[in-house]
Amino acid sequence: MFRYPIIIKLHETDAAGLLFFSQQFKLMHDAYESLLERIGFGFAVLIRDKDYFLPIVHAEADFKYPLFVGDRVNIDVSVANIGDTSFTFAYKLTLEDETLVGSGKTVHVTMDKKTQTKISLPSDLRRAVSGQTDNS
Amino acid sequence: MFRYPIIIKLHETDAAGLLFFSQQFKLMHDAYESLLERIGFGFAVLIRDKDYFLPIVHAEADFKYPLFVGDRVNIDVSVANIGDTSFTFAYKLTLEDETLVGSGKTVHVTMDKKTQTKISLPSDLRRAVSGQTDNS
Amino acid sequence: MFRYPIIIKLHETDAAGLLFFSQQFKLMHDAYESLLERIGFGFAVLIRDKDYFLPIVHAEADFKYPLFVGDRVNIDVSVANIGDTSFTFAYKLTLEDETLVGSGKTVHVTMDKKTQTKISLPSDLRRAVSGQTDNS
Amino acid sequence: MFRYPIIIKLHETDAAGLLFFSQQFKLMHDAYESLLERIGFGFAVLIRDKDYFLPIVHAEADFKYPLFVGDRVNIDVSVANIGDTSFTFAYKLTLEDETLVGSGKTVHVTMDKKTQTKISLPSDLRRAVSGQTDNS
């Protein structure tokens, strides 16, 4: 499990006073980016050096508890599934007292940059991502 | 059906060259806001004058086709479901040649501003939203 | 003068109830993008087909009047200056009753994509941009 | 001097491959928010408990060096000026090798929430902010 701590920023809230819903998706992705970087596949590397990219084909989230500016939230990221040409990350957002405030998942496919077609997960990426499954 | 036309902006793309996924959720919400305003429940009215608000408790989206800066997209919004204390909007994103590029939905509950508890949809809101169902 | 009409969206406001300041810069850029597209230099063209890009080296804005969700604002864009390797766009934001709510400017340089050095404005771009000066 | 370290996120870049300019303003504000919280005037406190707010009336920035996803940047915040009804924060963005990549400032006024008129800086806020001047 990879934990990514954040503090809700003013620009992430809206005039209704709470976190704007799409910002949770953005924050989930920030956590995912940080995890990818830790396992050697940061976006700078993916964009510059790899011949594939990892577009999101599906995303979903539940919003269980309103979040205010200044709230401290931990985002726990884990791998929920690894297929042949895709993988799924799962996210849990909790307050410091462990209250669950939100959750979500993102489904990614491995896409060849040139042909724009799906390819099998490269073995080094598969190995790196596998190390992030919940029961590892 | 309510159609909301947009053009993908530079700031909505990322260094991978395409629309960043959470921006589709934001764009879906822009379309929803525009629909709400047309039926008399714009956010200015909701925030200033109403004793309830309409937080999103679930959202999901599929991403079917990469979108670039300058792409012209129509977002069609319709009501997928109306319950006692909640309603669901559905979204379809198409190019001008009708290619489906993405879809999604958002589930909203009616929440009393003071008590922060779910309430039944006020009848005027229910009536207004019902007029936006697909088969109306 | 190029006029770009917008409606303030919920996600552009923050928990203080008003437009978040950096969103005015984003909206100014949206107007600039729309103007560029109209004169044949849209970002899709700039990114795909040109060997230069137009990075912003300076930006500033004044915020004169609070903006709420749903407010209708016109952004007027004009060219304030054209130099050898740079140009400046000026922006005025007004309500429909012509109240000035904000203003700003962005200074751009012409940068060669390969060498990452400043170059003189290509003549076709210079001609197109010149057509957008205030007194044209 | 208050230092706020960040890593450039994918969603802060655009299809030209670099940090989108308005994101620098947002990041400057994130640093300012963090400073305010450290000196006891976090936005949660300002929004809920104070009878004034601190709207930005002017902002500007210079962009000196392109920033990529994954770049590690330190944002140094200091108080550049304190007037009767306003104050100015200055920002410097540097890479870890101290390369200056950008700078900026934001001018804030103290505004009474009810009357929407400028008021003198409350003495506790003045004292707290004064402690953040460069030569303190």
Side-chain angles (χ1 to χ4, degrees), chain A residues 11-71:
Chain A
H11 69 87
E12 293 165 342
T13 62
D14 65 38
L18 307 174
L19 183 76
F20 184 73
F21 89 112
S22 80
Q23 300 284 358
Q24 180 172 316
F25 287 102
K26 183 203 74 177
L27 293 167
M28 285 159 42
H29 199 278
D30 287 352
Y32 162 74
E33 273 179 67
S34 184
L35 181 155
L36 281 188
E37 186 162 23
R38 204 192 54 167
I39 63 175
F41 290 84
F43 270 93
V45 167
L46 286 171
I47 290 172
R48 290 175 189 162
D49 303 339
K50 300 295 182 183
D51 48 11
Y52 58 87
F53 62 117
L54 308 171
I56 292 173
V57 293
H58 177 79
E60 57 183 81
D62 291 295
F63 309 92
K64 295 178 184 300
Y65 197 86
L67 288 172
F68 298 93
V69 60
D71 280 353

Side-chain angles (χ1 to χ4, degrees), chain C residues 56-73:
Chain C
I56 293 172
V57 293
H58 177 79
E60 57 184 80
D62 290 295
F63 309 90
K64 296 177 184 299
Y65 197 85
L67 288 172
F68 298 92
V69 59
D71 280 353
R72 290 165 188 275
V73 177

Side-chain angles (χ1 to χ4, degrees), chain D residues 1-16:
Chain D
M1 186 99 73
F2 179 75
R3 175 158 284 195
Y4 182 77
I6 55 151
I7 299 174
I8 302 298
K9 299 296 191 309
L10 184 62
H11 69 87
E12 293 165 342
T13 62
D14 65 37

